[in-house]
Amino acid sequence: MRFSKAWQTKYRWASTTFCGAVFSASMAMAGAKEDALAALAKLAEADSYSWSTTTEGPRGSGQTVEGKAAKDGTMQLNMTVRDEPVEVFVRGQQTVVKSEGGWKSVQEIMQNAEPGQQSPAMMIARMARGYRAPVAQAEEVLEKVSDVTAVDGAFLGELAGDDAVPYMQMRSGRRGGGDGDGRRQRGGGPQDGPGGAGGGPGGPGGGLGGDRPAPPEVKDAKVTVRVWTTDGVATKIELQMNGKMTGRDGEEREIARTTTTEIRDVGSSTFDVPDDVKVKLGE
């Protein structure tokens, strides 16, 4: 069967146009991912910035965390736990919490805890030690996303299936630790081992080691990240987590959680570090 020269010309033109469109779309996705990561990097490298993070789920709004970060890696967090205000400072591997007895490092709180007892101080210490800065969370997810697109003024990326499962397990409270860096925390993955990136039991950045239960079973996991920018710097970050999780009672539950972080005062945020805290942070 022979095709006319006109038909062959049209076929080559159509093939070239299609391949060009696919290539252009791929380049656009790659460019969007690079732009989103660059916006997060610019924020992380700013002299300082502040943020407010709110988590919402099926039962409404949850905890709000107010944070500030300085260029030297120091991070200040303020939150409310069981109707009590909590203040935390983080720098590198060190985390210091304000308690009834004054400022104490997480290691001091854990070492002074009664075996088998779950005191409010221990709960706060675990929460503080496991905290991940929103910039670090968004950056880690975006680096693993294949396709990032610009939608409604934001960069959008999605993880699904096995890639999303560790993040759902992190949100369940059985997370491994980051490297403790309040600004970027570019340590290991979301769950490097039983003790997280910090290593064994009580490691400065890790979890509690082998005394923690196994991660819950997760199905249909999906993590969606959105990053809004202004002048090339991230100004808002949103993480949505959806899936099904089996609890300790064996019951499967739908998980739908959205964490929204609003960035402000980039380059102009200030905070004071008490002298007692400076000593425990290693100054």
Side-chain angles (χ1 to χ4, degrees), residues 58 168 171 218 241-246 253-257:
M168 297 290 293
R171 296 305 302 169
V218 177
M241 301 191 183
N242 299 86
K244 298 176 183 178
M245 185 177 296
T246 301
R253 296 177 176 85
E254 293 281 349
I255 302 297
R257 185 179 290 109

Side-chain angles (χ1 to χ4, degrees), residues 93-95 106-107 110 129-130 177-179 195-209:
Q93 298 288 345
Q94 302 301 320
T95 302
V106 166
Q107 289 85 350
M110 293 301 186
R129 182 171 58 184
D179 65 7
L208 296 178

Side-chain angles (χ1 to χ4, degrees), residues 104-125:
K104 294 184 180 298
S105 69
V106 166
Q107 289 85 350
E108 290 173 324
I109 294 173
M110 293 301 186
Q111 289 170 1
N112 295 329
E114 293 291 334
Q117 297 296 318
Q118 299 295 326
S119 67
M122 287 182 64
M123 181 186 69
I124 293 170

Side-chain angles (χ1 to χ4, degrees), residues 85-239:
V86 175
E87 186 174 6
V88 178
F89 283 90
V90 179
R91 180 189 296 151
Q93 298 288 345
Q94 302 301 320
T95 302
V96 181
V97 180
K98 190 173 186 179
S99 64
E100 294 180 357
W103 292 100
K104 294 184 180 298
S105 69
V106 166
Q107 289 85 350
E108 290 173 324
I109 294 173
M110 293 301 186
Q111 289 170 1
N112 295 329
E114 293 291 334
Q117 297 296 318
Q118 299 295 326
S119 67
M122 287 182 64
M123 181 186 69
I124 293 170
R126 288 193 181 108
M127 184 182 302
R129 182 171 58 184
Y131 183 80
R132 297 290 311 280
V135 173
Q137 290 180 321
E139 188 176 47
E140 187 177 90
V141 174
L142 277 172
E143 285 178 339
K144 296 181 179 181
V145 171
S146 298
D147 299 330
V148 177
T149 56
V151 180
D152 296 331
F155 294 106
L156 169 68
E158 290 186 354
L159 282 180
D162 292 342
D163 290 335
V165 167
Y167 296 95
M168 297 290 293
Q169 292 171 337
M170 286 166 64
R171 296 305 302 169
S172 75
R174 295 173 175 82
R175 67 208 278 173
D179 65 7
D181 184 347
R183 294 176 61 78
R184 298 189 73 170
Q185 292 175 297
R186 300 203 44 175
Q191 202 162 17
D192 295 64
L208 296 178
D211 64 343
R212 285 199 169 191
E217 182 182 357
V218 177
K219 297 179 181 178
D220 303 329
K222 184 174 78 169
V223 178
T224 303
V225 58
R226 291 180 174 86
V227 178
W228 286 262
T229 66
T230 299
D231 297 329
V233 180
T235 55
K236 181 179 177 181
I237 300 168
E238 181 184 270
L239 283 171

